[in-house]
Structures are given as structure tokens and as C-alpha cells.
Amino acid sequence: MKLMALDGNSIINRAYYGIRPLSTKEGLPTNAIYGFITTLQRLLDEEKPEALCVTFDRREPTFRHKADAAYKATRHGMPEELAMQMPVLKQVLSAMDIPTYELVGWEADDLMGTISRRCEADGWDCVLVTGDKDSLQLITDHTMVKLVTTKMGQTNTTDMTPAAFREKYGFDPIHMIDLKALMGDSSDNIPGVPGCGEKTAMALVQEYGSIDALYAAMPDVHAKPAMVKKLAEGEESARHSYWLATIVTDAPLDFRPEDNLRRPFKPELYDLFLHLEFAKLIEKYGLTPAGDAAPAAQQREVTVTAEDVTDPARAEELLRQWRKAEFVTVYATPDLSAIAVDCDTGADSASTANLLPFAYTGDWQALLQALFAADIHKVSHQVKELTRALLAQGIDPEGFVFDTALGGYLLDATAGQYGIDRLFMAYYHAEVMKPLHLAADAFSPLGDHHEALAALDSWCSAIAALREYQLPRLREQGMLPLLNDIELPLCRVLADMELAGMAVDAKALRAFGDWLQGEIDTLEQRIYDAAGETFNINSPKQLGVILFERLRLPHGKKTKTGWSTNADVLEKLRFIHPMVDDVLTYRQYTKLKSTYADGLLKVIDPDGRVRTSFQMTVTATGRLSSTEPNLQNIPTRTELGSQIRKLFPAAEGCVLVDADYSQIELRLLAHIAGDEAMIQAFRSGEDFHTVTAARVFHVDPSEVTADMRRSAKAVNFGIVYGISAFSLSQDIGVTVAEAKSFMERYFDTYPAVRQYMADVVEKAREKGYVETLWHRRRDLPELKSSNFNLRAFGERVALNMPIQGTAADIIKLAMVRVHRELRAQGLQARLIMQVHDELIVECPVSEQAQVTELLRREMEQVASLSVPLNAEAHAGKNWWEAKQ
């Protein structure tokens, strides 16, 4: 039998620092709890113990503190965000029916030691899980210590058995106490022998085994005379440190291994996870409420009556009712095989109409067109997807007044999940019904629709509840104009763009793929020749062996899995050995071939066009993203990127008109910071990087060299992202001191930018968020974290998000206005692509001049700033030509 015991304080600490800040809608931090549970599950999967328990420290002083006031006196107190999670974690463990142990006057380590020895005495194996190396002294043939480490957000474990310990340290585990006695431990404030470091202490323990044997050999110890003197003078400290470092294995703990056998979770775990908003864990563990889940409408305390609408006369009656309503809630399956319409009929009542195409006896198409006309105001979820589905069926949808997916995204841009069920759980701590309505045959003509319709109605009612929660909060945070003027209208724009797609020259694409394959084959052979053997170039482990063991190149960095061969490492070696340049080129070519040459061929529709999907709720800054395929990620500044763009032609008889903003983020920095020098530089119409270089280097613009301009450009763009002097030095090839001096001169040139950077971080720290000019908000709990790396991340986001987010708002608003104006002028032109600050319109040749001017005008006039918004527009027969 095997028992696993966790050092609760140690594991939750690592979880807290290893996972980005998470919190419930009420503001309770949850990242440490979530990280603890996921780490625990991983440990259970690895070890599969029959019994499990967790130990915790107590706040009261232990016998060590009472004997030595300096013991652990230098430790900082637990961060408040972590302290708030400790009692909740214990509630979770109780609900998981996992025994916990804590004892006044004793540390968790002492309880772990006692538990391990009790297990051994009863013939059990024991696994101790901790991040504290002190526990290594407890390793025996029947007790393994599983060390947990967290680095860069990744949690790793190392199994320390007697053999593994001896291989690493060169002595038996029990002598870890002797090591600590000599070298001390700054984290616990154990003094050790003054002047005896880890390397010396290791050598002494490896030779003498224990401090008893060491001091018995005095003064003939094999060490330098100065060290022998330090050891002699420090004997009392060594023996006291030994006592402090020794983990007690016979604490007065009421413990029997069999009392800790794993048991099923208690029913209350479901409700606890609901309140903690751990939807993924509820799903993972298959948790269900004690009774039947209350439907969404009951959570709103609204009585809902449902009916299946089959008769055209009843449909007309309902349509008249819906036109008079402030709004109706509409929920449809992705394939439109079932639609539910929820309408309030009184203070505490609502009616839901279920519309099924196979059951409706009238004109289904006419019913859809009437329901989705502008005179019925509709609240729905994922309006863009619904709009696209309706457009594909020939329905021109209008009248959407709220989207609860977008509402959820605007209220929490970093949540990542905005499904109806996830949002409902977060807002109301309750579940909607299981999505039975989404099954493939849920509404087939011969199926039993009762349960599917109940789920459909539940989800429709949930949308109404989500709006009820979101609307006042969006109004309070000033984001209703952002939703109404930008995000909601954009749904129709994106749906049209997705249906339009972009033409691709399949024949040329195949030829490009063949050319790439030829280059890849050549590179592959050259790499093998340079290596002197064949190997898997795509294997970092095998490549690392070739570069750093066979070729013995410098800058090698060993990781847990082998040599690091990431792009940063290889870039440093590019000019040291020609093989490295070939490897980098090989990686580039293989990625281009798989992603574009091969990838695009697989998704070309029969009409010769590819259709991407624009994601509206993915990025925290408000930027759109493109998936399946991703057309926003084509390299822009390389010859191969240009070759790929040539493969996207305009349709027969058409041209592509491409317009993008010039230096929009820098212009927004000038406007938001209110820096007069920067504003005047943009108003002058001169090259901004040249102007900056002239001012920073104190020369006439005509005397600015290419290197000067390059340095100015690097800091201009880097400043928006909070670039450091070190990073700038890497970018422009100077020393850190020179880069720092350059940045100081830059801030002297644009002093309001320096002030803005200080103010925006400080205000974000006070308010807990940053926002764009359109009040798009991003919460930044990282700024209050006790973790330096998280705080630094939060500061970089605070600097960048208002700029990048405002740029995202502007391009989205431009898309809405361009789309609206193209339709208003009755043009055949259509917006087909957006890539960050770039818009592409496909139009007949005859409309080229009109569309080019329209595109430029609408993009430049979309916002009134203290600096001009410049947009450059060009036309061409393909994407590459249009970019010239």
C-alpha cells in the first residue's frame, strides 16, 4: 500500500507563484487553489496512491521558534492574496474528503516526518510531496520525496529515492541534516558555520559523513587552515543548526495510514467549485449537484412557459408581440435546426417559443426573415456566428441589440472562455442544463425532442439572465458605446468577410510548395554533410547533441530535456557556423510549406477561395485574430512573405485595394501622452524616425545617418512596449550603458512620454485596470502581486494596452464605417480581409478610384486626434501588388 502526503503550504505557495492571477467575479483570488488542485491531480495520476493526506503549518510559534527567536525571522509574511485562499483550500480538501493535519507547536515538515515513519512501521510505502529540500533527510527505502519546482509558470517534479539522492549529493539522505548544519540555510535563518559555503560543506559531508565524525577528526580535518579555524570556532553554531534542521519523526500526531484511504468526493464539492468558478474541474471530475440542476429561468426567479410553434397563424401572432417588446432573446443551434425565442410577458414571467424547420407548416424562410428583421430587437449570444449562418441561408439579419458573448468579453478580456454555460456559472454560481440540443441528431424529424428542447429553452433563458447581469456593469464602466458602436456592428462586417473569403491561385501555390520542398531537400543534405551524420533536424534534443557535443559550438545551455535550440540560441550562433544558418532557414521553409503551401491547399473551397474565421473574443487588447486558416500571420518583411501574398489574386475583373495606417501606435502615444514635441513632429508630415533621431542626437535632419534613424526607430516602437535598456542594446547592437543613455536623451526629447509611462502604471495600480480611449478595459491584478515577474508583466501591459487597444478600436470602427459606406453607395466592392492595421477591399476595376479614396477617407476620419491619422491606400491585381 502507498500513501502520499503533501506539504500543503509548500505546494500552494508554488501554485500561487506559478499561475497567473485568477479571481471570481466577487474578487476572491483563486489561482493558488486552482493550481494546487491541478498539481494534486497530476501527482495522483503519476503515483496512484491508495491513501492521501495534506499537512499544513500553523500560525502559532513552534518549539524551534521558542528555542531560537531568530529561526525563520527573516521570512516575509504570506501575501494577502495567498492568505485569503488558504481557508478556502482547506474547505476544498474537506469537500474532496482528503484528510488534513496540522498541530500547534509543530511544522508541517515534522508532521510529514512522523507520517512517513508511521507508514513504514505499518508496512506502507510513503511519498512525500514538497518543494522544500529539508525533507530530503526523510528519504528511505520505503519513503520517497517528490520535489516540486515551478519555473516560468511550469511545474515539474523530481523523484528523489535513496539512489537518486546519493547520485546527486554523494552521501546518504540522513546526512542532509549535517549539510545544513555546516552551510546553514538563509531561508530558514539557520546560521550554520560562518564562512562555510555549500561547496565546502558538501565536500566535508561527502568525506566525513556527519558533523560528529568531522569534529572527532579535528584538528586534522582535510581543509585549509582558515576553514579548520572557522569550523572549530563554529562548532556550537553547527550543532545548534543541526538541531534546528532535524525534522521530528515522532510528533504527537493522531495518525493511522488506513484512515487516509482515498474516498469519493462529497456532494458539497460541486457547489464549492461553482462558487470558485472552476467550470473545467466540474467537467473533469464529472461533478453534479445533489438534486436536479435548477433551470436558468428559475435562477432569475422568472416563470417561463414554453410552446412549440408549428402554425403560421400563431407565428404571425408572436411576431406582432415580439415587435412590440423592448427586446427578445434568441438562441439558435449552429446549423439553425432549432431556434428558441424568449420574450418577457410580465414582471416575473416570460414565454419561450420553439421554432423547428421540419415541424413548421408555413414558409420557414419567410419566418426567419421576419424574426431577424430590424423591427424586432434581439439579444443573442455569438451574434457574428449566428449572422454568418443566416447569411449562408439567404437571410439578411438585422436588429441585434446585445451579444452576451461580447458582453462577457468586454467585462473580462482575459477570461478566455465565453460560452453561455461558463458565463452563467461565473455570474450565478449555477449550471444550465447539459447541452443536449447540440447533439448531431437532437432535432432530426424522427427523434425524441423533449429533452433537447428543454436544454434549448434553458440556454435561451440563460442568455436573458446574462444580459441582466452584464448590462448595468457595462453601463457603469462606460463600455456600452464600445459594444453598440463598434463590437455589435462589426459582427455583420466580419460575417460578410468570412463568407466572401479571398481567392487563392491553387496552381501557383502548388508550384511554390514544390519549390520550397526542393530548397528544404537541399538544406537538409547540407546540414547532414556539416553534421557528419543524418539525424532528425526537427528534434531539439538531437540537434542540440550535434551542435554542442559533436561540433562543440559555444553558448550551449542545458535544460532538463537536453540542449536548448530555440531561435534566440541559434541566432547567436548564426555567424559562427554555416550549419546554424541552414537550420534556421530550414525551420522557416518547413513552417511556410506546412502552414501555407500545404495548409492552404487543404482549405481552398470549390470556388477557389479560402475563408478564415475571425475571432472577436481571444486577445486581451481587443485585436481580432484569424484562424482556420490564419491569414494574419503571413510574414510581412521577407521575400518569401511577398511570394505568398502574390498567391492571393483579385477575382476576375477586379483589383484588391489595400490600405493601412502609418505608425498608428506611435501617433496614439503622442495623442494619449499629450507630448507637444511628438505631436508637432507628426503634424509636420516629416519622417518621424528621422525627426526623432535629429532631436535625440542634436543634429540637423539632413545629417541623420541610417544608423541614427535605425536607433530612433527601435526606441520609438520599443517604448510602446516598455522596452528595457538591455533589450534596446540587443536590438541596435550597442552596450547597455549606451542604450540607457540613448533612452534618457529620448525622454528628454519627449518628456510627456516619460510622465505618461509613470502615470499610467501608477493609475493602473490604484484602479486595478487600464483602458482605451473607447473605455475598453483590461484588469491588471498582476500589478498587486508579490511576484516580481508578474508585477513587471503587469507594468508592461499597463504601458501597452491603452495604445494597442485603442488602435484595435480604431481599425474596428474603420471597418464598420467602410462596410457601411460601401453599401450606402451601392458599390459591388466588399471588404474581405483585416490584418491588424491593414484593410483589404476587393472591387471591380471600374470602382478602383472611388474605393481607394473611400477607404483612405473613412480610415483617416474615423477618430479626431491631436495628430493626423494617415492611411496609405494602393491597388493591385494581387495582395502583394496592392501593398506596394
Side-chain angles (χ1 to χ4, degrees):
M1 300 284 278
K2 181 196 296 184
L3 178 140
M4 184 165 73
L6 277 68
D7 182 340
N9 292 77
S10 175
I11 303 305
I12 197 172
N13 261 284
R14 275 153 183 78
Y16 173 74
Y17 289 110
I19 293 182
R20 70 175 181 84
L22 300 172
S23 62
T24 64
K25 289 295 181 291
E26 284 104 7
L28 173 69
T30 58
N31 62 322
I33 302 169
Y34 187 83
F36 187 101
I37 297 168
T38 54
T39 300
L40 171 60
Q41 186 57 53
R42 175 182 165 184
L43 294 166
L44 290 172
D45 292 341
E46 288 178 2
E47 293 299 326
K48 298 179 174 55
E50 286 80 13
L52 174 68
C53 66
V54 181
T55 65
F56 287 102
D57 289 323
R58 297 275 303 187
R59 288 179 178 236
E60 297 89 346
T62 68
F63 68 91
R64 293 183 182 87
H65 294 91
K66 293 177 180 178
D68 187 340
Y71 179 65
K72 293 190 176 181
T74 56
R75 283 200 176 183
H76 298 294
M78 186 181 292
E80 182 182 355
E81 309 99 303
L82 176 55
M84 293 169 66
Q85 298 181 63
M86 288 295 290
V88 184
L89 172 65
K90 292 175 183 178
Q91 290 180 41
V92 169
L93 293 173
S94 175
M96 296 177 81
D97 212 358
I98 298 173
T100 59
Y101 296 95
E102 50 188 88
L103 197 59
V104 175
W106 304 85
E107 297 182 54
D109 283 351
D110 298 318
L111 304 188
M112 299 260 282
T114 301
I115 287 169
S116 69
R117 296 305 177 255
R118 298 268 182 90
C119 284
E120 289 188 24
D122 289 353
W124 286 58
D125 288 331
C126 186
V127 177
L128 303 177
V129 182
T130 181
D132 190 348
K133 292 183 179 180
D134 289 347
S135 295
L136 295 177
Q137 64 185 267
L138 299 172
I139 296 171
T140 67
D141 289 339
H142 293 281
T143 296
M144 179 180 79
V145 171
K146 206 172 186 71
L147 274 181
V148 178
T149 57
T150 302
K151 186 176 182 181
M152 303 297 288
Q154 295 294 317
T155 298
N156 297 302
T157 59
T158 305
D159 292 347
M160 296 300 288
T161 61
F165 182 92
R166 280 190 287 268
E167 182 179 353
K168 182 176 179 63
Y169 289 94
F171 48 82
D172 288 336
I174 191 64
H175 296 304
M176 190 72 177
I177 311 172
D178 300 280
L179 180 67
K180 287 289 181 76
L182 294 174
M183 63 178 279
D185 186 340
S186 59
S187 65
D188 289 343
N189 212 26
I190 296 176
V193 173
C196 182
E198 180 178 5
K199 186 176 180 181
T200 300
M202 284 275 285
L204 291 172
V205 176
Q206 286 169 355
E207 181 173 358
Y208 293 97
S210 69
I211 61 170
D212 284 340
L214 172 69
Y215 281 105
M218 292 286 285
D220 301 321
V221 172
H222 297 149
K224 293 180 179 179
M227 178 52 63
V228 173
K229 182 180 179 184
K230 290 177 182 178
L231 289 170
E233 293 173 350
E235 181 175 358
E236 183 179 349
S237 179
R239 296 196 179 279
H240 179 61
S241 297
Y242 185 95
W243 179 80
L244 286 173
T246 301
I247 293 175
V248 172
T249 58
D250 58 354
L253 183 69
D254 183 11
F255 176 88
R256 295 187 309 163
E258 59 269 24
D259 293 339
N260 299 272
L261 290 169
R262 294 173 63 183
R263 296 180 286 269
F265 298 150
K266 297 177 182 177
E268 55 261 35
L269 184 62
Y270 173 84
D271 291 328
L272 192 51
F273 277 2
L274 271 181
H275 282 80
L276 293 173
E277 299 168 18
F278 289 167
K280 287 184 179 179
L281 293 179
I282 287 177
E283 183 179 342
K284 178 179 180 62
Y285 291 127
L287 303 179
T288 56
D292 292 335
Q298 290 182 17
Q299 300 295 334
R300 299 166 56 214
E301 299 182 354
V302 173
T303 302
V304 179
T305 57
E307 65 174 308
D308 298 342
V309 180
T310 60
D311 180 54
R314 177 56 178 157
E316 283 299 325
E317 184 180 340
L318 287 171
L319 287 167
R320 286 193 295 272
Q321 178 184 325
W322 296 339
R323 291 186 185 105
K324 294 176 183 177
E326 179 187 356
F327 68 90
V328 298
T329 305
V330 178
Y331 176 66
T333 57
D335 60 356
L336 302 180
S337 62
I339 300 173
V341 183
D342 184 293
C343 181
D344 283 352
T345 53
D348 300 313
S349 64
S351 66
T352 300
N354 296 316
L355 310 176
L356 304 174
F358 68 86
Y360 185 65
T361 59
D363 186 337
W364 175 254
Q365 196 80 353
L367 175 59
L368 288 184
Q369 191 61 69
L371 171 59
F372 290 101
D375 57 356
I376 296 178
H377 294 168
K378 292 166 286 291
V379 172
S380 194
H381 191 84
Q382 294 184 323
V383 168
K384 189 260 291 183
E385 284 73 14
L386 178 55
T387 299
R388 176 172 174 169
L390 289 163
L391 287 170
Q393 291 202 13
I395 305 300
D396 190 9
E398 295 183 72
F400 290 105
V401 296
F402 203 90
D403 182 336
T404 50
L406 292 175
Y409 169 62
L410 293 180
L411 289 174
D412 187 354
T414 59
Q417 297 285 342
Y418 303 99
I420 293 171
D421 51 348
R422 294 290 175 86
L423 290 175
F424 194 80
M425 181 182 292
Y427 299 160
Y428 293 101
H429 304 306
E431 282 191 296
V432 292
M433 287 183 64
K434 299 299 181 185
L436 304 174
H437 57 290
L438 296 179
D441 58 349
F443 296 105
S444 62
L446 300 178
D448 181 0
H449 312 131
H450 178 74
E451 290 187 346
L453 282 173
L456 184 82
D457 295 347
S458 174
W459 284 51
C460 186
S461 295
I463 294 174
L466 296 182
R467 174 191 174 276
E468 196 173 292
Y469 178 94
Q470 293 171 356
L471 183 61
R473 289 162 177 80
L474 289 168
R475 183 181 289 116
E476 177 187 339
Q477 296 179 19
M479 285 195 284
L480 275 182
L482 175 64
L483 176 68
N484 294 330
D485 299 339
I486 298 180
E487 297 291 349
L488 262 178
L490 188 65
C491 291
R492 173 57 186 268
V493 179
L494 295 176
D496 281 338
M497 291 169 63
E498 290 178 357
L499 287 172
M502 290 188 77
V504 178
D505 186 337
K507 183 178 179 181
L509 186 60
R510 286 192 189 90
F512 179 64
D514 291 342
W515 178 83
L516 279 175
Q517 187 59 57
E519 293 296 304
I520 291 168
D521 291 343
T522 300
L523 287 165
E524 188 175 66
Q525 191 56 54
R526 281 215 304 260
I527 292 168
Y528 291 158
D529 291 344
E533 62 180 274
T534 60
F535 66 99
N536 183 357
I537 303 171
N538 295 312
S539 166
K541 186 174 184 179
Q542 293 184 35
L543 177 61
V545 170
I546 294 294
L547 294 178
F548 302 114
E549 295 181 17
R550 184 177 179 84
L551 299 180
R552 298 188 177 281
L553 298 185
H555 307 301
K557 182 180 179 182
K558 205 78 178 279
T559 68
K560 187 176 180 180
T561 56
W563 296 97
S564 174
T565 58
N566 61 31
D568 289 340
V569 171
L570 295 191
E571 282 294 341
K572 295 175 182 176
L573 302 172
R574 183 188 284 272
F575 302 107
I576 294 177
H577 196 290
M579 175 183 157
V580 179
D581 189 58
D582 283 343
V583 169
L584 286 167
T585 306
Y586 174 89
R587 285 182 175 180
Q588 179 190 11
Y589 283 16
T590 53
K591 183 177 180 180
L592 287 174
K593 186 174 187 301
S594 63
T595 304
Y596 298 108
D598 298 340
L600 288 177
L601 281 172
K602 295 176 183 176
V603 295
I604 298 177
D605 288 329
D607 63 354
R609 300 178 79 87
V610 293
R611 290 171 169 84
T612 188
S613 177
F614 291 100
Q615 305 299 315
M616 301 180 71
T617 60
V618 171
T619 70
T621 59
R623 276 189 168 187
L624 296 170
S625 61
S626 162
T627 59
E628 298 177 345
N630 182 355
L631 297 181
Q632 293 183 328
N633 209 29
I634 298 173
T636 56
R637 294 180 176 85
T638 66
E639 176 59 31
L640 286 177
S642 299
Q643 292 298 319
I644 295 171
R645 280 177 166 73
K646 289 178 182 178
L647 305 177
F648 290 87
E652 187 70 28
C654 293
V655 292
L656 298 182
V657 182
D658 185 304
D660 63 355
Y661 284 115
S662 171
Q663 301 168 340
I664 186 171
E665 291 187 359
L666 287 173
R667 293 170 189 270
L668 288 171
L669 175 63
H671 173 81
I672 293 174
D675 191 289
E676 285 301 322
M678 189 175 280
I679 290 170
Q680 288 306 317
F682 279 117
R683 286 178 175 174
S684 72
E686 299 176 61
D687 176 69
F688 180 66
H689 302 311
T690 299
V691 171
T692 298
R695 292 179 175 179
V696 169
F697 290 106
H698 305 296
V699 299
D700 189 85
S702 62
E703 298 174 342
V704 172
T705 65
D707 283 343
M708 289 179 179
R709 184 183 183 280
R710 183 171 61 86
S711 297
K713 183 176 181 179
V715 74
N716 274 330
F717 285 119
I719 213 74
V720 180
Y721 297 91
I723 195 170
S724 66
F726 174 78
S727 296
L728 180 63
S729 71
Q730 297 285 302
D731 289 347
I732 61 178
V734 298
T735 66
V736 174
E738 289 171 326
K740 187 175 182 180
S741 173
F742 187 91
M743 291 177 71
E744 286 300 317
R745 297 200 304 273
Y746 181 92
F747 286 128
D748 289 341
T749 302
Y750 300 126
V753 172
R754 184 203 299 267
Q755 191 62 47
Y756 161 75
M757 293 177 69
D759 290 348
V760 73
V761 173
E762 187 55 37
K763 288 178 182 177
R765 193 172 282 114
E766 292 173 7
K767 297 192 296 185
Y769 64 89
V770 287
E771 61 182 358
T772 69
L773 295 182
W774 273 265
H775 302 294
R776 182 186 302 278
R777 180 179 292 199
R778 175 167 179 174
D779 294 329
L780 283 175
E782 294 89 349
L783 289 175
K784 294 184 179 179
S785 172
S786 54
N787 183 302
F788 172 80
N789 290 332
L790 281 176
R791 285 201 311 278
F793 168 77
E795 290 171 3
R796 291 194 298 273
V797 172
L799 290 171
N800 171 250
M801 192 275 172
I803 307 294
Q804 194 176 96
T806 298
D809 293 341
I810 285 176
I811 194 70
K812 284 180 171 180
L813 190 54
M815 294 171 72
V816 171
R817 295 193 179 182
V818 167
H819 182 269
R820 185 180 299 156
E821 194 63 20
L822 290 175
R823 298 181 73 184
Q825 295 188 21
L827 298 172
Q828 296 180 48
R830 53 186 181 173
L831 190 59
I832 62 171
M833 192 60 201
Q834 184 258 20
V835 182
H836 306 317
D837 304 329
E838 172 188 0
L839 297 182
I840 302 172
V841 173
E842 186 175 59
C843 69
V845 174
S846 60
E847 295 178 356
Q848 176 181 329
Q850 185 179 357
V851 168
T852 302
E853 174 56 25
L854 181 154
L855 193 55
R856 184 194 59 76
R857 182 182 68 250
E858 294 300 324
M859 290 177 69
E860 291 186 344
Q861 296 179 5
V862 74
S864 178
L865 304 176
S866 57
V867 296
L869 270 177
N870 286 1
E872 300 176 357
H874 304 280
K877 294 180 180 179
N878 58 51
W879 192 354
W880 177 79
E881 283 189 11
K883 282 288 290 180
Q884 302 310 299

